[in-house]
Amino acid sequence: MRFLIMMRRSPAVVTLGCVLLMVAGGLLLWLPIHTQLALDDWETELRAGGLPARAVVYDQVTDARSKSTMYFRYEVSGRTYEQEVPCVEVCRPAGDDVSIWVNRADPKDFVTDFGELSGHRGRFQGLLGAGGFVVLVAAILLLLSRIPFGRWFPPRTTPRRRPAAQVSDGTDFTSRSKRKRSGRR
């Protein structure tokens, strides 16, 4: 038990913990980047091998946070499907026709002609990425606080002041002039 208590207070263990926290934050920060790259690859794959179809925007909704979503209706193999697409760069009005490429294995999965995938993908990974950024910054600050900068860069010492000059009447006088007087009397 005593060994564990001493182990917790060891500077090496604390530093290792900070480094591991940095790695975890970096991985969480990397997750949305990796997800976005995978979604870009999936979009390209759907365009190349997907089933072309026409979809109609039948509704558009804006929520309290001013985020808009389009609702699509399309037909594949005699069946009608409805899916939502977030308005990221493009937001088509209700009644517009849109070219889409549908996944042959899952008809609810498609990509539009303006590059948006069906559904709201990557939101959770985005939140994890934001949390990873916070963890990474906190870990870097903790790690920097462990560095003994005071030992490497000692504080400046202030120069010693000269004693005040004695004036003829016995009081102390210190001149604060920036220029020397040309003639002393």
Side-chain angles (χ1 to χ4, degrees):
M1 182 69 174
R2 189 174 201 180
F3 175 73
L4 290 175
I5 292 172
M6 290 190 64
M7 187 81 162
R8 280 184 39 205
R9 292 184 182 169
S10 170
V13 172
V14 174
T15 303
L16 178 66
C18 290
V19 170
L20 290 176
L21 205 57
M22 274 181 42
V23 169
L27 287 174
L28 286 174
L29 184 61
W30 175 75
L31 180 66
I33 296 167
H34 170 71
T35 301
Q36 188 58 46
L37 292 175
L39 289 176
D40 289 344
D41 291 344
W42 180 241
E43 175 189 337
T44 305
E45 190 176 322
L46 271 179
R47 283 181 187 263
L51 190 69
R54 299 291 293 169
V56 175
V57 180
Y58 71 89
D59 197 10
Q60 181 183 349
V61 176
T62 303
D63 65 2
R65 295 174 293 178
S66 298
K67 291 190 178 192
S68 296
T69 302
M70 298 175 284
Y71 292 91
F72 284 59
R73 186 176 289 141
Y74 57 98
E75 189 173 313
V76 175
S77 303
R79 234 176 128 190
T80 303
Y81 295 93
E82 294 180 357
Q83 282 295 333
E84 60 183 31
V85 174
C87 293
V88 179
E89 293 177 10
V90 176
C91 205
R92 301 275 176 95
D96 258 7
D97 280 347
V98 178
S99 296
I100 61 172
W101 290 267
V102 180
N103 183 358
R104 293 177 193 274
D106 180 13
K108 293 182 178 181
D109 187 20
F110 65 86
V111 64
T112 64
D113 61 352
F114 49 89
E116 284 297 322
L117 291 165
S118 59
H120 296 277
R121 300 172 190 226
R123 281 186 177 176
F124 183 68
Q125 289 87 346
L127 291 173
L128 286 176
F133 177 74
V134 170
V135 168
L136 182 64
V137 168
I140 289 172
L141 292 175
L142 282 172
L143 194 61
L144 287 176
S145 72
R146 307 275 312 145
I147 298 174
F149 288 113
R151 192 174 356 155
W152 296 343
F153 305 107
R156 289 177 145 180
T157 57
T158 56
R160 296 186 181 250
R161 298 186 123 202
R162 292 183 285 159
Q166 291 289 329
V167 182
S168 61
D169 63 355
T171 59
D172 291 339
F173 173 76
T174 304
S175 172
R176 299 205 184 266
S177 171
K178 292 183 180 178
R179 294 179 173 70
K180 288 186 177 180
R181 292 186 183 177
S182 61
R184 290 201 172 229
R185 294 184 186 179

